[in-house]
Amino acid sequence: MESRVALRTAQLQDVNARLSAEIAMRAQTEAALARSEERLQDIISMMPLSLFLKDAESRIVLMNQACEQQWGVCFQDIAEGRDIQHFPSDQSAGFHTADREAFASRSVVIREELVWNAQLQENRLVQTHKKPVFDAEGRPQMIIAMAIDITDSKRNEENLQRSLAQLRELSDHQQTIKEEERRRIALDIHDDLGQNLMVLRIDVSLLHARTAGTHPRLHSHAQRVLDTIDATIRSVRTIINDLHPSTLELGLGPAAEWLIRQMEGRGAIRYRLHIASDAPHLGLDQRQTSAIFRVLQESLSNIVRHAQASEVEVALAQEHDAILLRISDNGIGMQPGDDGKRAAFGLKSIRERVHALGGELRIDSQAGQGTALAIHLPQSRERVADVS
Ligand SMILES: Nc1ncnc2c1ncn2[C@@H]1O[C@H](COP(=O)(O)OP(=O)(O)OP(=O)(O)O)[C@@H](O)[C@H]1O
Ligand SMILES: [Mg+2]
């Protein structure tokens, strides 16, 4: 009997010791868990990113300092029920809809929304990411959300876009002025220098005719002067045409044909031009005509200078209410980084001209596979109406 009691006592002591050890272990684990939760709370509260948790009924259960600042509220006031309606009612309704959406989609919902800041007394634009969390049975449990204030970056972006648009307008305006100036100088040279040269030529040819039999030396001298005047007239014509091709007045089609004929005379490249329209003006106004002409001129000059091509195809087409121009060559193609080179302005000016007219530019090129530059330009409305 005594030995049974001793055995039982020993067993009980053993169980007791194990229980005490387990209790000590559990206390340790709980302390460690509490410490780690405290650390997590510290991390959350120190995070510069606004973070908050909501329960399944969209009640705020936790928020960090960044969130308090973003909303201009104090979490304590919300938790203790002193601040129930801190957002305007239409905003609250929107947030609840987003919460329900996150639970329904069972995935992260990202939204840009206006959030009232009670301290600043203004709305801030915020990008909110909401992740729904479900319990073991799959029922909505909480929403983990983070929110980034994008008011300033959005404002900066808008300012940047506005500046870019202004720059484009300015560049377009400058191009127009430049084009008008070129046209005026071309006309002045034509009307002034050109006319004077013609008068001079008539006088010298009279002198040349009258001295034929009587003054052989003066006659041959007059012939040399005539030759010089003819060469000057030719070079003045070239200058006038370079400044403002007279064919531009006839429309883009004839101007493109003229330009290609000029290019053919300068080298061994074979050019093919397709114009898929009967209307010489292709429904373009003077500004658009000049812009597309200059794009074509720069593209062809690039091909001659850089492409080492033997064939070039230029296609000009009219599609619905847009003009399509495609210039392709079978040359060496562009290298990565060519489009954007420093101190290279041709492609930049093409891009500016096209954008200023509300068009799109595409360059397809691969080393050894040639280059194709395509532009798509909407026609001006009045013209579209005229043509149709
Ligand atoms: N058709 C082409 N084939 C091969 N390379 C090309 C072609 N067009 C342009 N490039 C390359 O792209 C670069 C940029 O062209 P861009 O017209 O902007 O400048 P650029 O012709 O060098 O100088 P700029 O036009 O200012 O006188 C060229 O230097 C050239 O290397
Ligand atoms: Mg160039």
Side-chain angles (χ1 to χ4, degrees):
M1 176 70 182
E2 239 172 65
S3 69
R4 283 234 311 268
V5 169
L7 183 65
R8 192 80 190 118
T9 310
Q11 277 176 342
L12 278 173
Q13 276 171 346
D14 196 26
V15 169
N16 196 17
R18 260 188 288 151
L19 262 176
S20 308
E22 252 176 52
I23 287 168
M25 183 104 86
R26 177 171 286 196
Q28 259 179 16
T29 315
E30 270 171 11
L33 200 66
R35 271 202 307 280
S36 116
E37 235 174 55
E38 215 171 287
R39 269 204 298 273
L40 190 66
Q41 287 284 352
D42 285 347
I43 293 170
I44 290 174
S45 82
M46 273 176 60
M47 263 173 51
L49 198 70
S50 158
L51 218 132
F52 56 94
L53 298 186
K54 282 176 164 185
D55 64 14
E57 274 76 48
S58 289
R59 282 185 298 255
I60 301 285
V61 290
L62 184 140
M63 63 197 284
N64 68 355
Q65 279 172 11
C67 186
E68 287 182 321
Q69 267 174 20
Q70 194 177 76
W71 297 358
V73 297
C74 176
F75 177 57
Q76 210 64 28
D77 292 343
I78 295 176
E80 291 165 13
R82 284 190 295 280
D83 189 357
I84 316 162
Q85 188 59 50
H86 40 275
F87 294 124
S89 53
D90 57 328
Q91 277 186 11
S92 294
F95 301 155
H96 289 185
T97 309
D99 295 349
R100 283 197 296 276
E101 219 177 86
F103 282 127
S105 69
R106 305 183 91 80
S107 59
V108 177
V109 169
I110 302 173
R111 271 194 173 194
E112 277 183 18
E113 45 202 12
L114 284 176
V115 174
W116 179 250
N117 184 307
Q119 206 159 14
L120 301 176
Q121 289 287 299
E122 65 175 28
N123 275 321
R124 305 289 297 174
L125 186 64
V126 168
Q127 189 186 59
T128 317
H129 299 238
K130 288 184 172 169
K131 181 181 164 48
V133 177
F134 300 89
D135 64 14
E137 277 79 44
R139 285 186 304 250
Q141 191 180 32
M142 66 164 129
I143 297 267
I144 303 176
M146 63 171 206
I148 307 159
D149 189 323
I150 53 171
T151 317
D152 295 337
S153 61
K154 207 59 177 201
R155 211 171 278 156
N156 291 344
E157 195 187 314
E158 279 166 12
N159 286 341
L160 192 68
Q161 288 305 332
R162 209 169 301 129
S163 305
L164 278 177
Q166 276 170 357
L167 262 178
R168 270 201 192 118
E169 259 173 45
L170 193 67
S171 145
D172 178 39
H173 182 61
Q174 276 180 336
Q175 300 281 14
T176 309
I177 290 178
K178 201 164 122 192
E179 208 58 56
E180 274 168 16
E181 191 76 354
R182 281 166 162 252
R183 190 162 176 253
R184 193 186 56 72
I185 296 172
L187 283 178
D188 281 355
I189 295 177
H190 175 270
D191 296 350
D192 203 349
L193 191 61
Q195 293 309 319
N196 287 347
L197 277 171
M198 289 318 283
V199 172
L200 192 64
R201 194 187 190 286
I202 292 166
D203 287 348
V204 176
S205 53
L206 271 179
L207 183 71
H208 180 254
R210 285 194 189 154
T211 52
T214 49
H215 299 83
R217 284 186 62 197
L218 192 57
H219 181 71
S220 68
H221 202 73
Q223 178 62 54
R224 281 201 298 279
V225 176
L226 261 185
D227 290 346
T228 311
I229 293 174
D230 283 343
T232 313
I233 290 174
R234 276 196 301 276
S235 75
V236 164
R237 276 208 193 114
T238 310
I239 291 170
I240 292 175
N241 250 322
D242 282 349
L243 276 169
H244 181 80
S246 52
T247 43
L248 259 183
E249 307 291 334
L250 302 176
L252 188 58
E257 270 170 33
W258 171 82
L259 181 62
I260 281 175
R261 270 202 310 277
Q262 296 285 308
M263 302 298 289
E264 270 168 345
R266 287 183 202 159
I269 301 177
R270 222 164 68 89
Y271 293 86
R272 268 181 299 171
L273 172 67
H274 308 279
I275 303 180
S277 170
D278 297 335
H281 281 282
L282 293 151
L284 298 167
D285 58 24
Q286 191 60 45
R287 180 167 153 254
Q288 290 174 314
T289 305
S290 303
I292 302 181
F293 180 79
R294 297 292 173 203
V295 168
L296 180 60
Q297 206 172 27
E298 171 60 27
S299 306
L300 294 180
S301 132
N302 270 354
I303 292 173
V304 171
R305 285 171 56 202
H306 311 294
Q308 300 171 28
S310 59
E311 287 192 13
V312 173
E313 206 170 299
V314 177
L316 197 54
Q318 199 172 4
E319 206 174 75
H320 307 299
D321 46 5
I323 287 287
L324 309 177
L325 171 68
R326 190 169 189 277
I327 305 140
S328 50
D329 67 63
N330 66 344
I332 55 168
M334 287 170 64
Q335 299 296 320
D338 273 356
D339 182 6
K341 257 186 192 171
R342 286 178 67 192
F345 298 100
L347 293 177
K348 287 188 192 91
S349 124
I350 290 179
R351 190 162 281 120
E352 278 308 317
R353 282 180 191 275
V354 172
H355 285 164
L357 296 173
E360 283 163 28
L361 167 74
R362 215 185 120 145
I363 300 175
D364 287 320
S365 183
Q366 272 176 21
Q369 308 262 317
T371 303
L373 183 145
I375 66 172
H376 178 278
L377 209 71
Q379 286 166 300
S380 53
R381 279 178 203 285
E382 312 86 74
R383 276 293 187 171
V384 176
D386 281 5
V387 169
S388 54

